[in-house]
Amino acid sequence: MIALSLAEIAAATSGRVVLAGDDTPDTLVDGYVDTDSRKIAPGDVFVAKPGEVTDGHNFVGTALEAGAALALVEREVDVAISQIVVADVVVAIAELAREVVARVRSRGELRVIGITGSNGKTTTKNMLRRILEDEGETVAPVASYNNAVGAPLTMLRVRESTKFLICELGADAPGQIARLAGLVTPDVGVVLMVGLSHAGGFGGIEHTARAKRELIEQVRPGGVAVLNADDHRVAAMADTARERGLGVRLFGESADAAVRATSIAVSASGTDSTLDVDGAQFPLHLRVLGAHHVKNAMAALTAAIALGVDPSDAIARLETIDLAERWRMQVMGSESVRIINDAYNASPDAMQAALRTLAQITGEGERMVAVLGAMSELGEHDVEEHNKIGLLAVRLRIPRIVVVGREARALFLSAIAEGSWSDEAVFFETADEAYDYLKDELRDGDRVLVKSSNAAGLRFLGDRLGELFS
């Protein structure tokens, strides 16, 4: 965080200063801001956020012992550390982020990029960060810091020397993207796709589309909307962008895309394609598995070009990426038994893409194994979408389908109904039961996809299998 006095922080957060030690209202604080006392270092600001399981106010003392200079609290705590008491710490860090970003912007060359979409946000964020970090100091979220807490914490990491701030913006309800994007009014807004992820919370896919459009509505005048030409709901946001006087840059496989991919081919060594960038041709080799990651790369490339980055430089940087993110198409195990751990998130679109990738990278004499768990937050579409995945797995001729967890049972039943006989499809209540089965079932030549939503916890099963067969 930039250096601010206690009085300035209190003003930004509508808080009350409680001083400790030799501190005065003019005492400056410039450390990082975090809600986890275990991550606090000397000079940092600890945010005592109440939670469902525990209360951050109980850890103010721990934060002080770690060297925290300030605690942001909702009630005064009997600990010898200066505190700013606010009505709601989550609202307070958002307002503090708004103030910090505005100050940095007024002093320097900070450019802000917002990224949203039902799938691909974290991968695209990481790709864009890799492109921009060679252009100047870049701040981007850790993991998937994209909610009402994580997004402001990322924003608060900017300093006077920061040139680019990448904000990953997720939402589980209407209005959340507007609030988060409104804190920083991005120069570039990237919308990847509209799918059924979180559809239960939004009330349907059209409501999801409206929520994603909130980002474009918050891009500052003169900014650029980067939109997926292949998703008609996203492409339609160009009208909103143009009405607001924004530039529009489309990416995708459609003929009208400014950044367009052709000749996409997936193999065990990565994903190849040819990119047409405003009429110029560039080969692209991604070490990351999956045709869907070409779309993420195009989104990152299009945003980078909008920020003035040379396309050839950006593509060269994309080609250095080994892993999009942990638990996202992460290749583990060995040449004999390759484990693809992609169990951090799973929407219907992402699940289909992962299964197709498994089929594409499995060669002659090798066996496909799909270890599948539940897709979360689908609402009324839950059974229907799990049924579709079961059908697809069978139609891709995956000879061993391992379904884990009661929430995914509809997927298993669908596979059986489609014609997955005998032990071709098996079901286990727990990941431990699935592990006991797989450790004896897997053999040389197997190519194993582990895919589920984060809540299903199969990423840890993927880790165990990767270690076992390494």
Side-chain angles (χ1 to χ4, degrees):
M1 187 177 73
I2 63 173
L4 294 174
S5 69
L6 297 181
E8 288 173 319
I9 296 172
T13 59
S14 301
R16 172 173 59 89
V17 180
V18 177
L19 298 174
D22 297 329
D23 287 348
T24 72
D26 294 326
T27 297
L28 294 177
V29 177
D30 65 354
Y32 289 121
V33 182
D34 212 304
T35 58
D36 189 339
S37 62
R38 297 167 296 183
K39 298 178 181 178
I40 294 296
D44 287 353
V45 178
F46 174 62
V47 181
K49 187 177 80 69
E52 295 180 2
V53 177
T54 187
D55 186 343
H57 293 79
N58 298 331
F59 298 93
V60 173
T62 303
L64 175 61
E65 292 173 1
L70 175 67
L72 194 64
V73 298
E74 293 182 1
R75 62 179 185 275
E76 191 173 337
V77 179
D78 187 18
V79 175
I81 184 174
S82 290
Q83 302 167 42
I84 294 180
V85 184
V86 298
D88 185 318
V89 294
V90 174
V91 173
I93 59 172
E95 292 307 311
L96 183 58
R98 186 196 303 274
E99 178 70 13
V100 166
V101 172
R103 288 192 181 210
V104 175
R105 224 176 192 153
S106 69
R107 299 173 188 170
E109 302 177 349
L110 178 66
R111 307 288 297 280
V112 180
I113 307 94
I115 300 173
T116 194
S118 298
N119 298 313
K121 294 184 294 296
T122 299
T123 298
T124 302
K125 171 261 298 184
N126 287 338
M127 288 178 166
L128 183 58
R129 175 174 55 192
R130 175 63 194 92
I131 294 172
L132 295 180
E133 63 188 3
D134 285 356
E135 301 288 323
E137 182 179 310
T138 301
V139 170
V142 176
S144 294
Y145 269 33
N146 61 26
N147 61 12
V149 174
L153 290 181
T154 298
M155 298 168 189
L156 285 166
R157 298 180 75 87
V158 302
R159 299 182 181 275
E160 284 86 353
S161 55
T162 303
K163 187 171 181 180
F164 302 105
L165 167 63
I166 304 172
C167 298
E168 181 181 335
L169 304 172
D172 52 17
Q176 188 169 339
I177 291 174
R179 287 191 295 273
L180 294 176
L183 299 175
V184 293
T185 56
D187 299 279
V188 177
V190 181
V191 184
L192 301 170
M193 65 171 298
V194 174
L196 285 173
S197 177
H198 301 298
F202 288 111
I205 196 164
E206 296 303 330
H207 293 280
T208 303
R210 283 197 286 272
K212 303 305 180 187
R213 191 174 63 221
E214 291 171 9
L215 171 57
I216 303 306
E217 294 167 348
Q218 295 299 323
V219 173
R220 62 178 39 213
V224 178
V226 173
L227 304 173
N228 181 357
D230 301 332
D231 185 319
H232 71 275
R233 294 182 177 89
V234 176
M237 297 178 194
D239 293 337
T240 299
R242 294 188 178 103
E243 288 169 3
R244 301 191 61 246
L246 306 180
V248 174
R249 296 281 291 178
L250 300 179
F251 65 90
E253 297 177 59
S254 300
D256 57 347
V259 177
R260 186 166 63 94
T262 60
S263 307
I264 299 174
V266 180
S267 69
S269 64
T271 308
D272 291 283
S273 63
T274 299
L275 298 185
D276 183 312
V277 181
D278 295 318
Q281 305 291 311
F282 299 88
L284 172 67
H285 173 73
L286 293 175
R287 303 181 195 181
V288 184
L289 297 178
H292 53 296
H293 286 312
V294 174
K295 190 72 63 71
N296 297 331
M298 284 192 288
L301 174 62
T302 308
I305 292 171
L307 294 165
V309 181
D310 182 86
S312 59
D313 291 339
I315 289 170
R317 295 165 196 168
L318 286 170
E319 292 184 329
T320 68
I321 298 172
D322 290 310
L323 177 66
E325 182 78 37
R326 187 182 181 192
W327 299 318
R328 289 174 171 85
M329 299 303 287
Q330 182 176 3
V331 179
M332 310 174 74
S334 64
E335 285 298 318
S336 296
V337 179
R338 182 176 291 118
I339 310 295
I340 303 168
N341 194 350
D342 192 34
Y344 191 84
N345 275 321
S347 67
D349 294 307
M351 186 77 85
Q352 291 173 29
L355 286 170
R356 290 192 173 98
T357 299
L358 176 64
Q360 289 167 328
I361 68 169
T362 303
E364 187 176 350
E366 299 173 343
R367 181 177 67 157
M368 293 182 283
V369 179
V371 184
L372 307 176
M375 300 177 288
S376 300
E377 302 180 71
L378 295 177
E380 65 182 17
H381 304 285
D382 187 274
V383 172
E384 175 188 0
E385 293 302 323
H386 281 93
N387 283 343
K388 289 179 180 177
I389 297 303
L391 293 175
L392 177 62
V394 174
R395 289 171 182 175
L396 288 173
R397 300 185 182 279
I398 297 175
R400 188 67 79 246
I401 303 168
V402 181
V403 182
V404 186
R406 188 170 301 175
E407 295 80 2
R409 188 167 178 82
L411 193 164
F412 167 70
L413 296 175
S414 174
I416 294 295
E418 182 66 10
S420 185
W421 305 108
S422 183
D423 59 350
E424 291 178 355
V426 294
F427 173 79
F428 299 99
E429 291 275 353
T430 70
D432 285 341
E433 292 172 342
Y435 176 81
D436 290 339
Y437 167 78
L438 288 164
K439 69 181 182 182
D440 297 324
E441 170 64 22
L442 297 181
R443 63 192 189 216
D444 285 355
D446 281 352
R447 302 296 177 249
V448 186
L449 171 70
V450 183
K451 182 70 175 172
S452 74
S453 286
N454 192 20
L458 294 198
R459 62 195 186 281
F460 303 118
L461 172 60
D463 285 345
R464 293 174 70 189
L465 293 172
E467 182 177 354
L468 178 64
F469 291 100
S470 63

